[in-house]
Every structure is written in structure tokens, then in C-alpha cells.
Amino acid sequence: MTLPIHVALIGYGMAGKVFHAPVIQAVPGLHLVTIQSSQPAKVRADWPEVWVSATFEEVITSPPIDLVVIATPNPTHFELARRALEAGKHVVVDKPFTLNAHQARTLAELAEAQGRVLSVFQNRRWDGDFLTLRKIVEAGTLGEVVYFESHFDRYRPEVQNRWREQAGPGSGIWYDLGPHLADQALLLFGWPQGIFADIGMQRQGAQAPDYFHVLLRYSRLRVVLHASALVPGGSPRFVVHGTQGSLVQYGLDTQEKALKEGLRPGAPGWKPEGSEAWLYRPEQAPEPVFVEAGDYRRYYEGVRDAIRGEGPNPVPPEQAVRLMELLEAAHISALERREVALEGQV
């Protein structure tokens, strides 16, 4: 009989409450034992069977804990992950992995030295729209892809009183949504030759970036990553043009919406709907594309299997380091208002 992997969740803000806790509990072989939070009453109301830890030290010195999941504000990721790895725990860190590439490399080296699984929660690899797009691109249905545009636009005109929208390291939309869009682009197309980023603040009273438009330059391919908080009319999620056709997708994967409504993966009523996608070929009528159902559980199933030695890490440290290098290069590009060359970077 295989023993369950005992999990500790650190932080119970939106990431911990909406994404991690319900998805972890929905994966066979994972057992959410404890949640460390400054809001114990909130945790007990949602998870009465889960022990609420008072301190991080209490968690990492507890022998039964196998896996520590860090869902705290971005500036805390590095130090908490370092301490957990040094305590001999496997670690999952919510995106962004760290604040910079140096911190990311340090954690990757530490995890290797400790012989522990270190992974980053890039859940949107398992969005239904992206799973569908990736299958079509990799099958060569569009021919050679020459243009790819990825949008994550919202209409949130009022600045909210939360750390993500306050001035400080790791705050703002580039470190919030950028890791999703950039990670997907790297999975599809690999490392670009250069990056040009326009990152700014557009809302009245904004203290952290709420807009980005980032261009990744490849040999023939151009990749545009875009997000804004001031898009009342909406925009396509993906636009892909190739030498033999185009794909246009509308609407976001609805897993996040279902989780925010309190539904749990696999429970009665759990049926996130797919988005809308259309395939365009020369001199043919547009064709509707079946959009796969997304499933964030697949990430934690991969983490479970990696810890047991039964499968690969779903988001290994080397990929997380690469992503941080790209996020950091975009930040430099935006500050200096120039393209940053990326060829030859490791």
C-alpha cells in the first residue's frame, strides 16, 4: 500500500484558497494536513478537518510533512522555499517562482543538492484553451507559425487594496499574469532571440504596473504577450497565424471561475466549460474547433508522481529558472526602452 503524501499549504489568500487547497484535496495520494495562515477562522470555516499551523517553523520541523506548498506574496517565495528545502521537504512554489533569476538558480541548485522535488505552479499549462492550441500547433495544422498573440485582458478600472497592486518588489501585472503567458510561449516555441517590453501604469491611482505589451522575436516568428486591466470590450485569448491557416480562440478557461464559486474538482456540479475556437484555412469556410476540458489536477498528479519517483516533474526547476530569466529581461527592456538580446543565454 502506497502511503499518502502529507502536504502543508503556506498562505490562504486567493492563491491558497481558490487554487491550491481544493486542487490538492482532489488528487488521490495527496493529503492536505495543515494550512499556515494569519486567518485561522477563515481556514477552519472552509477546511474544518485541516490543522491550522501557527508558524512556518512549526510546519517545516514537523516530520509527517512531505511537501510544502508556498502560496504567499511574491517577495517571500525565495526565503520560504529555501528554508523548506533545507528542512528536507519537497516544495511547490506558486508563480512567479522568485523575484529574479539569481534567486531561482540558487533554489534549483539547493533542491538538487538536497535531492528534493522543487516545482512551480504553472497551472495554466492545463487550461483547456492552451491544451487545444498546443495540440493544433504541434500537429502542424497551421503550417509554420509566423505570428502568435496571447492576451489576458480584464476590465478592473478600480485599483484594489491588495499587495499585488501596491508598489513593491514582485507586484504588478507583469509578475502576476506575465509568468502564465511567457511560460506558455516558451513551451510552444522555445527560447527567443530578443525581447522588447512595454510595461506601464494606466489606471488612475495605480501604484504598480497594470499593463504590458511584450514582443518576443524569433527568426521568422513574432510572439506578442499582452495584458491590461482596462479592456471593457474584451479581446481574443489567442490569435495564431501560420503558413497554412489561422486559429483564433475567445474566452478564458473557466476552472478559475468554478473554483472561485466554491466548486471542487471532481465534485458534483464540476464541469468547467471550454472556450470558443475557430480554424481558418485559405479559401475555406471557418471551422469550429473542439476545445478540450482543462484540468489543474494534472499538475499536482505530476508532482505526486515525481515525489514517488514514478514520473517527471511537471514544471522542473530548469524551466522555472529560464522563465525568470525572461521575466527579468523584460523588466530591463521596459526600464531602458530597448530590445534585450537573448541569444546564447543559459
Side-chain angles (χ1 to χ4, degrees):
M1 177 180 176
T2 304
L3 295 175
I5 294 168
H6 294 143
V7 183
L9 173 60
I10 312 301
Y12 201 65
M14 177 188 165
K17 175 183 173 67
V18 173
F19 292 101
H20 294 279
V23 176
I24 289 167
Q25 282 293 68
V27 173
L30 297 183
H31 177 44
L32 183 59
V33 175
T34 184
I35 297 174
Q36 191 226 326
S37 171
S38 60
Q39 306 176 79
K42 181 179 170 183
V43 175
R44 293 189 182 100
D46 293 341
W47 303 95
E49 72 280 14
V50 171
W51 163 47
V52 181
S53 298
T55 66
F56 184 70
E57 190 67 26
E58 184 180 13
V59 171
I60 62 174
T61 56
S62 174
I65 299 301
D66 305 301
L67 170 64
V68 174
V69 176
I70 297 169
T72 54
N74 298 346
T76 67
H77 288 183
F78 172 74
E79 183 62 18
L80 294 179
R82 181 190 65 78
R83 290 173 61 190
L85 287 168
E86 289 177 345
K89 310 300 183 183
H90 303 287
V91 176
V92 163
V93 185
D94 198 83
K95 61 78 205 165
F97 185 20
T98 55
L99 294 181
N100 56 59
H102 173 72
Q103 289 181 342
R105 294 187 202 100
T106 299
L107 291 181
E109 292 167 1
L110 178 59
E112 183 175 6
Q114 293 288 93
R116 290 293 177 263
V117 171
L118 171 63
S119 188
V120 178
F121 186 63
Q122 290 289 354
N123 59 303
R124 294 198 177 273
R125 293 187 182 190
W126 291 271
D127 275 354
D129 49 23
F130 180 69
L131 292 171
T132 303
L133 178 148
R134 187 177 185 183
K135 181 179 291 186
I136 289 173
V137 169
E138 292 179 349
T141 305
L142 306 177
E144 179 190 355
V145 175
V146 295
Y147 181 82
F148 175 79
E149 192 167 330
S150 176
H151 278 251
F152 208 126
D153 293 324
R154 297 163 167 170
Y155 184 58
R156 295 181 176 177
E158 302 298 328
V159 177
Q160 300 180 41
N161 184 23
R162 57 179 191 154
W163 67 263
R164 295 180 189 277
E165 298 186 41
Q166 305 302 311
S171 64
I173 200 169
W174 178 238
Y175 282 93
D176 183 21
L177 300 180
H180 290 311
L181 305 193
D183 180 69
Q184 291 175 339
L186 291 180
L187 280 178
L188 289 171
F189 306 115
W191 192 246
Q193 297 174 356
I195 183 170
F196 181 87
D198 180 14
I199 302 172
M201 294 181 280
Q202 295 186 324
R203 293 177 297 176
Q204 289 291 332
Q207 299 180 43
D210 53 18
Y211 165 92
F212 66 76
H213 189 88
V214 175
L215 174 66
L216 305 181
R217 179 177 56 80
Y218 295 77
S219 178
R220 279 163 43 106
L221 168 69
R222 297 295 183 267
V223 169
V224 172
L225 311 177
H226 183 100
S228 171
L230 287 175
V231 186
S235 56
R237 174 69 180 90
F238 294 116
V239 176
V240 194
H241 299 307
T243 55
Q244 297 175 23
S246 299
L247 178 72
V248 181
Q249 291 200 18
Y250 299 90
L252 292 172
D253 181 284
T254 57
Q255 289 179 87
E256 178 178 346
K257 180 175 180 290
L259 289 165
K260 284 181 175 178
E261 292 172 352
L263 296 176
R264 297 185 181 181
W270 177 263
K271 191 181 178 182
E273 299 174 354
S275 54
E276 178 185 349
W278 292 87
L279 180 64
Y280 298 84
R281 300 176 191 269
E283 301 180 1
Q284 295 184 28
E287 304 172 38
V289 175
F290 172 76
V291 178
E292 295 187 26
D295 193 347
Y296 296 156
R297 289 173 294 184
R298 288 167 58 183
Y299 170 77
Y300 270 112
E301 289 169 356
V303 171
R304 174 200 63 198
D305 293 347
I307 290 173
R308 290 176 173 174
E310 299 173 354
N313 186 335
V315 185
E318 55 268 25
Q319 292 181 0
V321 169
R322 211 85 216 265
L323 178 59
M324 289 310 307
E325 291 174 346
L326 193 71
L327 296 179
E328 197 170 61
H331 182 66
I332 294 170
S333 171
L335 286 176
E336 300 182 1
R337 299 182 181 181
R338 66 176 179 88
E339 179 183 284
V340 173
L342 298 173
E343 290 182 283
Q345 284 200 12
V346 178

